[in-house]
Amino acid sequence: MPFAERDGTRLYWEEAGSGDPVLLIMGLGMNATGWWRTIPVLAERFRVLAFDNRGVGRSDRPPGPYSVPQLADDAVAVLEAAGEPRAHVYGISLGGMIAQEVVLRHAGRVRGLVLGATTAGGSLGVPAGESTLAFFRRRGEMPAEEAVWASVPYNYSARTRREHGDRIAEDIAQRLRYPIEPAPYLAQLEAAMGHDAGARLGEIAAPTLGVHGEADVMVPPVNGERLAAAIPGAEHRTWPDTAHLYFTDEPEIERHVAQWLRTR
């Protein structure tokens, strides 16, 4: 299995497909298996690189605290290990925050940028409701299987919960292959809570697409609107009947992302 290494921490990565490279960066408490629906779609045209952030999956689990800039430099280490000087970068949730830092810290590395279900943080950020924030904190104390099932109302739209329970079960089976542990989960959560890129977003020159679910309660959709408005030339689309894990709620979204990337 391939690993990148940075600051003594090994980072698991994998690849699929061929063509222009796309680096996928997953969100809080999840690893590369969270992209299991996305990878086959993008791999039809691209070399897709996915990896486990520090603290999760098959990567090392050093003690926290973690920071978004640190996680961004980890992502670039994966690109280096894959032999790719430049790539499209697609991040969701915490992964979208990391993707912002990748382009801000390593602009020459990023060809196109996709920011899914994420926020600029700081003064531009609009936090989730108090009950959702309380769940984030409580989740770190739950056993892994309990935590992923308890997350269902926060991750998926009402339509998916009502009509597509099979999709949810498939996702959870993937996530439980490499369960998150409490300490690295909280270290990643601390990194997310400390993210603030708002004052620097005007520096982003890479073509950018924002994607958000209209029913996202974890990262309210106004965050995606504000983020795209602050990035020069960014495009943005909010999808109806979708929540935080929008690619499960509406699989067509990833084909939209693939088509957008093909033109960049």
Side-chain angles (χ1 to χ4, degrees):
M1 293 187 294
F3 286 88
E5 185 169 334
R6 197 184 75 80
D7 292 344
T9 297
R10 295 193 319 157
L11 303 160
Y12 171 86
W13 65 278
E14 59 192 28
E15 64 178 297
S18 61
D20 293 334
V22 180
L23 179 68
L24 302 179
I25 311 179
M26 187 37 77
L28 176 64
M30 295 175 65
N31 54 70
T33 64
W35 291 110
W36 77 280
R37 296 182 186 278
T38 302
I39 289 171
V41 175
L42 296 185
E44 292 175 5
R45 296 290 187 93
F46 299 97
R47 182 190 184 198
V48 183
L49 308 171
F51 71 103
D52 297 345
N53 286 310
R54 66 173 58 212
V56 300
R58 294 142 289 187
S59 291
D60 288 346
R61 303 177 184 188
Y66 301 165
S67 70
V68 171
Q70 176 189 46
L71 297 169
D73 289 348
D74 287 349
V76 171
V78 171
L79 279 182
E80 292 175 348
E84 295 289 358
R86 194 164 179 255
H88 299 297
V89 176
Y90 178 4
I92 184 170
S93 195
L94 170 60
M97 302 177 205
I98 297 167
Q100 292 167 50
E101 282 294 337
V102 170
V103 73
L104 288 166
R105 294 168 68 83
H106 308 277
R109 295 276 193 178
V110 180
R111 177 172 170 180
L113 183 66
V114 182
L115 302 175
T118 194
T119 178
S123 62
L124 284 185
V126 176
E130 185 50 45
S131 62
T132 302
L133 293 174
F135 172 75
F136 275 131
R137 295 188 288 268
R138 210 166 53 245
R139 186 188 185 283
E141 301 171 359
M142 296 178 184
E145 187 165 1
E146 178 185 350
V148 294
W149 283 107
S151 301
V152 166
Y154 301 93
N155 281 330
Y156 301 97
S157 71
R159 182 188 63 175
T160 298
R161 301 197 308 272
R162 184 176 60 250
E163 300 176 6
H164 300 292
D166 56 325
R167 296 182 189 172
I168 295 172
E170 290 168 346
D171 281 4
I172 287 175
Q174 291 290 335
R175 286 156 67 183
L176 288 176
R177 289 172 58 197
Y178 305 101
I180 183 67
E181 295 176 356
Y185 171 83
L186 292 171
Q188 287 193 355
L189 178 60
E190 182 177 354
M193 294 301 185
H195 174 64
D196 182 359
R200 297 172 290 146
L201 294 174
E203 301 170 16
I204 296 177
T208 301
L209 172 67
V211 180
H212 223 107
E214 190 176 63
D216 191 340
V217 297
M218 282 197 167
V219 182
V222 66
N223 286 281
E225 296 166 7
R226 290 185 175 190
L227 183 60
I231 297 174
E235 301 174 39
H236 181 74
R237 182 164 178 183
T238 302
W239 291 75
D241 293 322
T242 62
H244 197 59
L245 296 184
Y246 52 75
F247 41 56
T248 297
D249 291 328
E250 179 46 78
E252 183 59 30
I253 292 175
E254 298 303 55
R255 297 212 169 272
H256 174 76
V257 169
Q259 178 60 38
W260 186 88
L261 289 171
R262 282 200 292 270
T263 65
R264 300 304 181 273

